[in-house]
Amino acid sequence: MNNLDTNRAEKKKEETNKTISLRWIDNPKVQELLDVVISIIAEEYIDVAQQNPDLFKKMEVIK
């Protein structure tokens, strides 16, 4: 039983020392998260543009 506890402690220590990469190119989970965030932002942008088209018209520069 003592040996089992030692193995668990070592495994826990190894898990704690793992480096988590947030680079999107290295991590498929980060890629999925970015896809979701981009999708939400795009939907919000489209909704606002449809409800308020004047917000996205090119403004004339005052000379």
Side-chain angles (χ1 to χ4, degrees), residues 3-5 8 10 15 29 32 37 44 53-54 61:
N3 198 11
L4 182 61
D5 290 338
R8 286 184 185 164
E10 288 175 7
E15 289 174 358
K29 295 289 184 183
E32 292 174 21
V37 170
E44 290 294 320
D54 294 336
V61 179

Side-chain angles (χ1 to χ4, degrees), residues 40-53:
I40 292 170
I41 291 172
E43 288 176 15
E44 290 294 320
Y45 182 88
I46 291 168
D47 288 344
V48 171
Q50 287 175 343
Q51 294 171 4
N52 304 307

Side-chain angles (χ1 to χ4, degrees), residues 5 7 10-11 13 17 19-20 23 25-26 30-31 33-34 36 42 45-48 50 52 58 61-62:
D5 290 338
N7 289 341
E10 288 175 7
K11 186 176 181 182
K13 186 176 179 182
N17 291 336
T19 302
I20 299 173
R23 290 181 54 195
I25 208 161
D26 295 338
V30 173
Q31 292 174 6
L33 178 61
L34 287 173
V36 170
Y45 182 88
I46 291 168
D47 288 344
V48 171
Q50 287 175 343
N52 304 307
K58 188 173 182 178
V61 179
I62 300 174

